[in-house]
Amino acid sequence: MKIAHISDTHLGYAQYNLVERKNDFFKAFRKAIDAIIERDVDLVIHTGDMFESSQPDMLSLSTAIDQLSRLKGKGIEFIAITGNHDRVLRKGKIPPQRILKDLGLLKLIEPFGTVYLDELVVCGLQFMPKAFIEVLKEEKFKEFEEKAERGKFSIFMFHQGISNYLPYLDSYEMFISDLPRGFNYYAGGHIHSFIKENLGTAIL
């Protein structure tokens, strides 16, 4: 299975209050989808902040629908989590990814959970502050590790800052040692940098 990992596409972000920069983010997303299709990818994982806001404008939402529809038309699966920008903070509200899920365009892990695709196990959690991570470490991470053991290949998706890659005090939510063990690939978002690192037999 060929897998593409993308993150932090921030659709709708008008950087410097410029509509040109907003269009740049749309173009970058379309180019990423073009490359995924050209490379015959089987699965896309998106690790949060697909949108700049949890209430994106209609152009941003329609761009996501158009591009994910292209993937669906090619039979390419798409799994997503929400990041700190596109998660919802008010009760009764839904993240924009839920609309895409209801349209059958992606599988959404929210707020945490597992997706099974044949012998692939994908576990993940949306962006959560440090205090919530401490609770999840006690209650859920052991369960994630057990699920990872059952799959032929396993992925852990997250949108938390890792201390090794965010040097500022209190700018991170997790230490690298906090990650649940046993996964083949750790797919992180949030830090806006491309980092590839071997963690024993796993890759981050």
Side-chain angles (χ1 to χ4, degrees), residues 36 47-48 55 64 69 82 87 101 104 123 146 157-158 163 177 188-189 192 194-195 197 199:
I36 287 165
T47 49
Q55 295 180 302
S69 294
T82 58
R87 69 173 179 148
K101 174 189 173 184
C123 297
E146 291 170 355
M157 299 172 62
F158 60 97
S163 61
S177 58
H192 292 199
F194 176 77
I195 296 170
E197 184 172 337
L199 303 176

mmCIF file with all atom_site columns, all heavy atoms in Angstrom, residues 36 47-48 55 64 69 82 87 101 104 123 146 157-158 163 177 188-189 192 194-195 197 199:
data_model
loop_
_atom_site.group_PDB
_atom_site.id
_atom_site.type_symbol
_atom_site.label_atom_id
_atom_site.label_alt_id
_atom_site.label_comp_id
_atom_site.label_asym_id
_atom_site.label_entity_id
_atom_site.label_seq_id
_atom_site.pdbx_PDB_ins_code
_atom_site.Cartn_x
_atom_site.Cartn_y
_atom_site.Cartn_z
_atom_site.occupancy
_atom_site.B_iso_or_equiv
_atom_site.pdbx_formal_charge
_atom_site.auth_seq_id
_atom_site.auth_comp_id
_atom_site.auth_asym_id
_atom_site.auth_atom_id
_atom_site.pdbx_PDB_model_num
ATOM 1   N N   . ILE A 1 36  ? -0.525  13.286 -5.631 1.00 0.00 ? 36  ILE A N   1
ATOM 2   C CA  . ILE A 1 36  ? -1.034  12.049 -5.041 1.00 0.00 ? 36  ILE A CA  1
ATOM 3   C C   . ILE A 1 36  ? -1.647  11.156 -6.110 1.00 0.00 ? 36  ILE A C   1
ATOM 4   O O   . ILE A 1 36  ? -1.391  9.949  -6.154 1.00 0.00 ? 36  ILE A O   1
ATOM 5   C CB  . ILE A 1 36  ? -2.064  12.389 -3.940 1.00 0.00 ? 36  ILE A CB  1
ATOM 6   C CG1 . ILE A 1 36  ? -1.331  12.942 -2.704 1.00 0.00 ? 36  ILE A CG1 1
ATOM 7   C CG2 . ILE A 1 36  ? -2.910  11.171 -3.579 1.00 0.00 ? 36  ILE A CG2 1
ATOM 8   C CD1 . ILE A 1 36  ? -2.232  13.641 -1.718 1.00 0.00 ? 36  ILE A CD1 1
ATOM 9   N N   . THR A 1 47  ? -2.882  15.227 8.865  1.00 0.00 ? 47  THR A N   1
ATOM 10  C CA  . THR A 1 47  ? -2.719  15.329 10.317 1.00 0.00 ? 47  THR A CA  1
ATOM 11  C C   . THR A 1 47  ? -3.063  16.711 10.871 1.00 0.00 ? 47  THR A C   1
ATOM 12  O O   . THR A 1 47  ? -2.365  17.249 11.717 1.00 0.00 ? 47  THR A O   1
ATOM 13  C CB  . THR A 1 47  ? -1.298  14.896 10.731 1.00 0.00 ? 47  THR A CB  1
ATOM 14  O OG1 . THR A 1 47  ? -0.329  15.548 9.911  1.00 0.00 ? 47  THR A OG1 1
ATOM 15  C CG2 . THR A 1 47  ? -1.129  13.404 10.615 1.00 0.00 ? 47  THR A CG2 1
ATOM 16  N N   . GLY A 1 48  ? -4.173  17.268 10.417 1.00 0.00 ? 48  GLY A N   1
ATOM 17  C CA  . GLY A 1 48  ? -4.737  18.432 11.081 1.00 0.00 ? 48  GLY A CA  1
ATOM 18  C C   . GLY A 1 48  ? -4.493  19.767 10.421 1.00 0.00 ? 48  GLY A C   1
ATOM 19  O O   . GLY A 1 48  ? -3.566  19.952 9.637  1.00 0.00 ? 48  GLY A O   1
ATOM 20  N N   . GLN A 1 55  ? -14.639 27.403 11.014 1.00 0.00 ? 55  GLN A N   1
ATOM 21  C CA  . GLN A 1 55  ? -15.784 27.881 10.237 1.00 0.00 ? 55  GLN A CA  1
ATOM 22  C C   . GLN A 1 55  ? -15.267 28.483 8.927  1.00 0.00 ? 55  GLN A C   1
ATOM 23  O O   . GLN A 1 55  ? -15.282 29.703 8.738  1.00 0.00 ? 55  GLN A O   1
ATOM 24  C CB  . GLN A 1 55  ? -16.583 28.916 11.034 1.00 0.00 ? 55  GLN A CB  1
ATOM 25  C CG  . GLN A 1 55  ? -17.225 28.333 12.287 1.00 0.00 ? 55  GLN A CG  1
ATOM 26  C CD  . GLN A 1 55  ? -18.010 29.363 13.053 1.00 0.00 ? 55  GLN A CD  1
ATOM 27  O OE1 . GLN A 1 55  ? -17.489 30.388 13.467 1.00 0.00 ? 55  GLN A OE1 1
ATOM 28  N NE2 . GLN A 1 55  ? -19.290 29.090 13.231 1.00 0.00 ? 55  GLN A NE2 1
ATOM 29  N N   . ALA A 1 64  ? -12.029 22.096 -0.851 1.00 0.00 ? 64  ALA A N   1
ATOM 30  C CA  . ALA A 1 64  ? -11.778 20.802 -0.220 1.00 0.00 ? 64  ALA A CA  1
ATOM 31  C C   . ALA A 1 64  ? -12.689 19.726 -0.807 1.00 0.00 ? 64  ALA A C   1
ATOM 32  O O   . ALA A 1 64  ? -12.234 18.613 -1.102 1.00 0.00 ? 64  ALA A O   1
ATOM 33  C CB  . ALA A 1 64  ? -11.983 20.914 1.290  1.00 0.00 ? 64  ALA A CB  1
ATOM 34  N N   . SER A 1 69  ? -13.088 14.960 -3.777 1.00 0.00 ? 69  SER A N   1
ATOM 35  C CA  . SER A 1 69  ? -13.922 14.211 -4.725 1.00 0.00 ? 69  SER A CA  1
ATOM 36  C C   . SER A 1 69  ? -13.066 13.605 -5.828 1.00 0.00 ? 69  SER A C   1
ATOM 37  O O   . SER A 1 69  ? -13.361 12.507 -6.320 1.00 0.00 ? 69  SER A O   1
ATOM 38  C CB  . SER A 1 69  ? -14.991 15.126 -5.331 1.00 0.00 ? 69  SER A CB  1
ATOM 39  O OG  . SER A 1 69  ? -15.915 15.558 -4.356 1.00 0.00 ? 69  SER A OG  1
ATOM 40  N N   . THR A 1 82  ? -8.430  16.636 13.237 1.00 0.00 ? 82  THR A N   1
ATOM 41  C CA  . THR A 1 82  ? -8.464  18.092 13.286 1.00 0.00 ? 82  THR A CA  1
ATOM 42  C C   . THR A 1 82  ? -7.268  18.617 14.061 1.00 0.00 ? 82  THR A C   1
ATOM 43  O O   . THR A 1 82  ? -6.743  17.953 14.966 1.00 0.00 ? 82  THR A O   1
ATOM 44  C CB  . THR A 1 82  ? -9.761  18.615 13.936 1.00 0.00 ? 82  THR A CB  1
ATOM 45  O OG1 . THR A 1 82  ? -9.877  18.067 15.255 1.00 0.00 ? 82  THR A OG1 1
ATOM 46  C CG2 . THR A 1 82  ? -10.980 18.218 13.116 1.00 0.00 ? 82  THR A CG2 1
ATOM 47  N N   . ARG A 1 87  ? -10.269 22.668 14.876 1.00 0.00 ? 87  ARG A N   1
ATOM 48  C CA  . ARG A 1 87  ? -11.090 21.983 15.873 1.00 0.00 ? 87  ARG A CA  1
ATOM 49  C C   . ARG A 1 87  ? -12.140 22.968 16.401 1.00 0.00 ? 87  ARG A C   1
ATOM 50  O O   . ARG A 1 87  ? -11.976 24.192 16.307 1.00 0.00 ? 87  ARG A O   1
ATOM 51  C CB  . ARG A 1 87  ? -10.244 21.455 17.026 1.00 0.00 ? 87  ARG A CB  1
ATOM 52  C CG  . ARG A 1 87  ? -9.666  22.560 17.906 1.00 0.00 ? 87  ARG A CG  1
ATOM 53  C CD  . ARG A 1 87  ? -8.985  21.997 19.124 1.00 0.00 ? 87  ARG A CD  1
ATOM 54  N NE  . ARG A 1 87  ? -8.429  23.084 19.938 1.00 0.00 ? 87  ARG A NE  1
ATOM 55  C CZ  . ARG A 1 87  ? -8.336  23.042 21.252 1.00 0.00 ? 87  ARG A CZ  1
ATOM 56  N NH1 . ARG A 1 87  ? -8.748  21.997 21.908 1.00 0.00 ? 87  ARG A NH1 1
ATOM 57  N NH2 . ARG A 1 87  ? -7.800  24.059 21.926 1.00 0.00 ? 87  ARG A NH2 1
ATOM 58  N N   . LYS A 1 101 ? -16.759 14.197 5.918  1.00 0.00 ? 101 LYS A N   1
ATOM 59  C CA  . LYS A 1 101 ? -17.040 12.813 6.317  1.00 0.00 ? 101 LYS A CA  1
ATOM 60  C C   . LYS A 1 101 ? -18.455 12.417 5.915  1.00 0.00 ? 101 LYS A C   1
ATOM 61  O O   . LYS A 1 101 ? -18.679 11.331 5.355  1.00 0.00 ? 101 LYS A O   1
ATOM 62  C CB  . LYS A 1 101 ? -16.861 12.663 7.827  1.00 0.00 ? 101 LYS A CB  1
ATOM 63  C CG  . LYS A 1 101 ? -17.263 11.296 8.366  1.00 0.00 ? 101 LYS A CG  1
ATOM 64  C CD  . LYS A 1 101 ? -17.267 11.284 9.879  1.00 0.00 ? 101 LYS A CD  1
ATOM 65  C CE  . LYS A 1 101 ? -17.822 9.973  10.423 1.00 0.00 ? 101 LYS A CE  1
ATOM 66  N NZ  . LYS A 1 101 ? -17.920 9.981  11.896 1.00 0.00 ? 101 LYS A NZ  1
ATOM 67  N N   . GLY A 1 104 ? -18.946 11.400 2.533  1.00 0.00 ? 104 GLY A N   1
ATOM 68  C CA  . GLY A 1 104 ? -18.241 10.181 2.154  1.00 0.00 ? 104 GLY A CA  1
ATOM 69  C C   . GLY A 1 104 ? -16.876 10.420 1.554  1.00 0.00 ? 104 GLY A C   1
ATOM 70  O O   . GLY A 1 104 ? -16.319 9.551  0.872  1.00 0.00 ? 104 GLY A O   1
ATOM 71  N N   . CYS A 1 123 ? -4.281  4.644  14.130 1.00 0.00 ? 123 CYS A N   1
ATOM 72  C CA  . CYS A 1 123 ? -4.786  5.246  15.360 1.00 0.00 ? 123 CYS A CA  1
ATOM 73  C C   . CYS A 1 123 ? -4.437  6.730  15.364 1.00 0.00 ? 123 CYS A C   1
ATOM 74  O O   . CYS A 1 123 ? -3.471  7.144  14.714 1.00 0.00 ? 123 CYS A O   1
ATOM 75  C CB  . CYS A 1 123 ? -4.177  4.584  16.592 1.00 0.00 ? 123 CYS A CB  1
ATOM 76  S SG  . CYS A 1 123 ? -4.573  2.835  16.795 1.00 0.00 ? 123 CYS A SG  1
ATOM 77  N N   . GLU A 1 146 ? -1.781  -1.755 22.003 1.00 0.00 ? 146 GLU A N   1
ATOM 78  C CA  . GLU A 1 146 ? -2.298  -3.100 21.778 1.00 0.00 ? 146 GLU A CA  1
ATOM 79  C C   . GLU A 1 146 ? -2.847  -3.251 20.365 1.00 0.00 ? 146 GLU A C   1
ATOM 80  O O   . GLU A 1 146 ? -2.679  -4.299 19.722 1.00 0.00 ? 146 GLU A O   1
ATOM 81  C CB  . GLU A 1 146 ? -3.382  -3.407 22.812 1.00 0.00 ? 146 GLU A CB  1
ATOM 82  C CG  . GLU A 1 146 ? -2.836  -3.557 24.230 1.00 0.00 ? 146 GLU A CG  1
ATOM 83  C CD  . GLU A 1 146 ? -3.931  -3.630 25.271 1.00 0.00 ? 146 GLU A CD  1
ATOM 84  O OE1 . GLU A 1 146 ? -5.127  -3.463 24.908 1.00 0.00 ? 146 GLU A OE1 1
ATOM 85  O OE2 . GLU A 1 146 ? -3.605  -3.850 26.461 1.00 0.00 ? 146 GLU A OE2 1
ATOM 86  N N   . MET A 1 157 ? -1.411  8.935  14.174 1.00 0.00 ? 157 MET A N   1
ATOM 87  C CA  . MET A 1 157 ? -1.592  10.311 13.708 1.00 0.00 ? 157 MET A CA  1
ATOM 88  C C   . MET A 1 157 ? -1.807  11.244 14.905 1.00 0.00 ? 157 MET A C   1
ATOM 89  O O   . MET A 1 157 ? -2.560  10.922 15.814 1.00 0.00 ? 157 MET A O   1
ATOM 90  C CB  . MET A 1 157 ? -2.820  10.408 12.786 1.00 0.00 ? 157 MET A CB  1
ATOM 91  C CG  . MET A 1 157 ? -2.740  9.564  11.531 1.00 0.00 ? 157 MET A CG  1
ATOM 92  S SD  . MET A 1 157 ? -4.325  9.555  10.609 1.00 0.00 ? 157 MET A SD  1
ATOM 93  C CE  . MET A 1 157 ? -4.506  11.293 10.179 1.00 0.00 ? 157 MET A CE  1
ATOM 94  N N   . PHE A 1 158 ? -1.169  12.418 14.863 1.00 0.00 ? 158 PHE A N   1
ATOM 95  C CA  . PHE A 1 158 ? -1.343  13.372 15.961 1.00 0.00 ? 158 PHE A CA  1
ATOM 96  C C   . PHE A 1 158 ? -1.061  14.788 15.462 1.00 0.00 ? 158 PHE A C   1
ATOM 97  O O   . PHE A 1 158 ? -0.404  14.993 14.436 1.00 0.00 ? 158 PHE A O   1
ATOM 98  C CB  . PHE A 1 158 ? -0.417  13.021 17.132 1.00 0.00 ? 158 PHE A CB  1
ATOM 99  C CG  . PHE A 1 158 ? 1.048   13.028 16.794 1.00 0.00 ? 158 PHE A CG  1
ATOM 100 C CD1 . PHE A 1 158 ? 1.837   14.138 17.057 1.00 0.00 ? 158 PHE A CD1 1
ATOM 101 C CD2 . PHE A 1 158 ? 1.648   11.915 16.208 1.00 0.00 ? 158 PHE A CD2 1
ATOM 102 C CE1 . PHE A 1 158 ? 3.197   14.141 16.740 1.00 0.00 ? 158 PHE A CE1 1
ATOM 103 C CE2 . PHE A 1 158 ? 3.004   11.916 15.882 1.00 0.00 ? 158 PHE A CE2 1
ATOM 104 C CZ  . PHE A 1 158 ? 3.781   13.027 16.153 1.00 0.00 ? 158 PHE A CZ  1
ATOM 105 N N   . SER A 1 163 ? 8.368   18.220 21.918 1.00 0.00 ? 163 SER A N   1
ATOM 106 C CA  . SER A 1 163 ? 9.376   19.075 22.553 1.00 0.00 ? 163 SER A CA  1
ATOM 107 C C   . SER A 1 163 ? 10.684  19.134 21.766 1.00 0.00 ? 163 SER A C   1
ATOM 108 O O   . SER A 1 163 ? 11.335  20.177 21.716 1.00 0.00 ? 163 SER A O   1
ATOM 109 C CB  . SER A 1 163 ? 9.657   18.578 23.976 1.00 0.00 ? 163 SER A CB  1
ATOM 110 O OG  . SER A 1 163 ? 10.161  17.245 23.951 1.00 0.00 ? 163 SER A OG  1
ATOM 111 N N   . SER A 1 177 ? 8.911   10.893 24.091 1.00 0.00 ? 177 SER A N   1
ATOM 112 C CA  . SER A 1 177 ? 8.749   9.654  24.865 1.00 0.00 ? 177 SER A CA  1
ATOM 113 C C   . SER A 1 177 ? 7.288   9.401  25.245 1.00 0.00 ? 177 SER A C   1
ATOM 114 O O   . SER A 1 177 ? 6.943   8.297  25.692 1.00 0.00 ? 177 SER A O   1
ATOM 115 C CB  . SER A 1 177 ? 9.604   9.721  26.129 1.00 0.00 ? 177 SER A CB  1
ATOM 116 O OG  . SER A 1 177 ? 9.252   10.852 26.910 1.00 0.00 ? 177 SER A OG  1
ATOM 117 N N   . GLY A 1 188 ? 2.919   13.179 12.324 1.00 0.00 ? 188 GLY A N   1
ATOM 118 C CA  . GLY A 1 188 ? 2.631   14.379 13.100 1.00 0.00 ? 188 GLY A CA  1
ATOM 119 C C   . GLY A 1 188 ? 2.352   15.587 12.227 1.00 0.00 ? 188 GLY A C   1
ATOM 120 O O   . GLY A 1 188 ? 2.810   15.671 11.091 1.00 0.00 ? 188 GLY A O   1
ATOM 121 N N   . GLY A 1 189 ? 1.601   16.515 12.776 1.00 0.00 ? 189 GLY A N   1
ATOM 122 C CA  . GLY A 1 189 ? 1.358   17.804 12.141 1.00 0.00 ? 189 GLY A CA  1
ATOM 123 C C   . GLY A 1 189 ? 1.779   18.922 13.079 1.00 0.00 ? 189 GLY A C   1
ATOM 124 O O   . GLY A 1 189 ? 2.531   18.714 14.028 1.00 0.00 ? 189 GLY A O   1
ATOM 125 N N   . HIS A 1 192 ? 4.879   22.647 11.074 1.00 0.00 ? 192 HIS A N   1
ATOM 126 C CA  . HIS A 1 192 ? 5.140   23.323 9.794  1.00 0.00 ? 192 HIS A CA  1
ATOM 127 C C   . HIS A 1 192 ? 6.572   23.134 9.294  1.00 0.00 ? 192 HIS A C   1
ATOM 128 O O   . HIS A 1 192 ? 7.134   24.016 8.642  1.00 0.00 ? 192 HIS A O   1
ATOM 129 C CB  . HIS A 1 192 ? 4.837   24.828 9.905  1.00 0.00 ? 192 HIS A CB  1
ATOM 130 C CG  . HIS A 1 192 ? 3.390   25.143 10.085 1.00 0.00 ? 192 HIS A CG  1
ATOM 131 N ND1 . HIS A 1 192 ? 2.850   26.379 9.832  1.00 0.00 ? 192 HIS A ND1 1
ATOM 132 C CD2 . HIS A 1 192 ? 2.348   24.369 10.503 1.00 0.00 ? 192 HIS A CD2 1
ATOM 133 C CE1 . HIS A 1 192 ? 1.547   26.369 10.089 1.00 0.00 ? 192 HIS A CE1 1
ATOM 134 N NE2 . HIS A 1 192 ? 1.226   25.149 10.499 1.00 0.00 ? 192 HIS A NE2 1
ATOM 135 N N   . PHE A 1 194 ? 9.281   19.897 7.656  1.00 0.00 ? 194 PHE A N   1
ATOM 136 C CA  . PHE A 1 194 ? 9.423   18.503 7.247  1.00 0.00 ? 194 PHE A CA  1
ATOM 137 C C   . PHE A 1 194 ? 10.546  17.877 8.051  1.00 0.00 ? 194 PHE A C   1
ATOM 138 O O   . PHE A 1 194 ? 11.701  18.301 7.967  1.00 0.00 ? 194 PHE A O   1
ATOM 139 C CB  . PHE A 1 194 ? 9.727   18.400 5.753  1.00 0.00 ? 194 PHE A CB  1
ATOM 140 C CG  . PHE A 1 194 ? 9.971   16.980 5.308  1.00 0.00 ? 194 PHE A CG  1
ATOM 141 C CD1 . PHE A 1 194 ? 8.904   16.117 5.134  1.00 0.00 ? 194 PHE A CD1 1
ATOM 142 C CD2 . PHE A 1 194 ? 11.256  16.512 5.103  1.00 0.00 ? 194 PHE A CD2 1
ATOM 143 C CE1 . PHE A 1 194 ? 9.119   14.796 4.742  1.00 0.00 ? 194 PHE A CE1 1
ATOM 144 C CE2 . PHE A 1 194 ? 11.484  15.189 4.703  1.00 0.00 ? 194 PHE A CE2 1
ATOM 145 C CZ  . PHE A 1 194 ? 10.407  14.338 4.520  1.00 0.00 ? 194 PHE A CZ  1
ATOM 146 N N   . ILE A 1 195 ? 10.208  16.887 8.846  1.00 0.00 ? 195 ILE A N   1
ATOM 147 C CA  . ILE A 1 195 ? 11.193  16.189 9.671  1.00 0.00 ? 195 ILE A CA  1
ATOM 148 C C   . ILE A 1 195 ? 10.970  14.695 9.500  1.00 0.00 ? 195 ILE A C   1
ATOM 149 O O   . ILE A 1 195 ? 9.845   14.209 9.651  1.00 0.00 ? 195 ILE A O   1
ATOM 150 C CB  . ILE A 1 195 ? 11.062  16.561 11.162 1.00 0.00 ? 195 ILE A CB  1
ATOM 151 C CG1 . ILE A 1 195 ? 11.370  18.052 11.371 1.00 0.00 ? 195 ILE A CG1 1
ATOM 152 C CG2 . ILE A 1 195 ? 11.986  15.705 12.012 1.00 0.00 ? 195 ILE A CG2 1
ATOM 153 C CD1 . ILE A 1 195 ? 11.047  18.550 12.755 1.00 0.00 ? 195 ILE A CD1 1
ATOM 154 N N   . GLU A 1 197 ? 12.611  11.146 10.917 1.00 0.00 ? 197 GLU A N   1
ATOM 155 C CA  . GLU A 1 197 ? 13.540  10.635 11.919 1.00 0.00 ? 197 GLU A CA  1
ATOM 156 C C   . GLU A 1 197 ? 13.203  9.193  12.255 1.00 0.00 ? 197 GLU A C   1
ATOM 157 O O   . GLU A 1 197 ? 12.023  8.835  12.379 1.00 0.00 ? 197 GLU A O   1
ATOM 158 C CB  . GLU A 1 197 ? 13.463  11.500 13.193 1.00 0.00 ? 197 GLU A CB  1
ATOM 159 C CG  . GLU A 1 197 ? 14.455  11.114 14.244 1.00 0.00 ? 197 GLU A CG  1
ATOM 160 C CD  . GLU A 1 197 ? 14.480  12.118 15.397 1.00 0.00 ? 197 GLU A CD  1
ATOM 161 O OE1 . GLU A 1 197 ? 14.084  13.276 15.202 1.00 0.00 ? 197 GLU A OE1 1
ATOM 162 O OE2 . GLU A 1 197 ? 14.903  11.719 16.501 1.00 0.00 ? 197 GLU A OE2 1
ATOM 163 N N   . LEU A 1 199 ? 12.863  6.204  14.776 1.00 0.00 ? 199 LEU A N   1
ATOM 164 C CA  . LEU A 1 199 ? 12.675  5.982  16.200 1.00 0.00 ? 199 LEU A CA  1
ATOM 165 C C   . LEU A 1 199 ? 12.750  4.476  16.440 1.00 0.00 ? 199 LEU A C   1
ATOM 166 O O   . LEU A 1 199 ? 11.727  3.799  16.499 1.00 0.00 ? 199 LEU A O   1
ATOM 167 C CB  . LEU A 1 199 ? 11.318  6.522  16.669 1.00 0.00 ? 199 LEU A CB  1
ATOM 168 C CG  . LEU A 1 199 ? 11.030  7.998  16.407 1.00 0.00 ? 199 LEU A CG  1
ATOM 169 C CD1 . LEU A 1 199 ? 9.616   8.340  16.836 1.00 0.00 ? 199 LEU A CD1 1
ATOM 170 C CD2 . LEU A 1 199 ? 12.031  8.865  17.136 1.00 0.00 ? 199 LEU A CD2 1
#
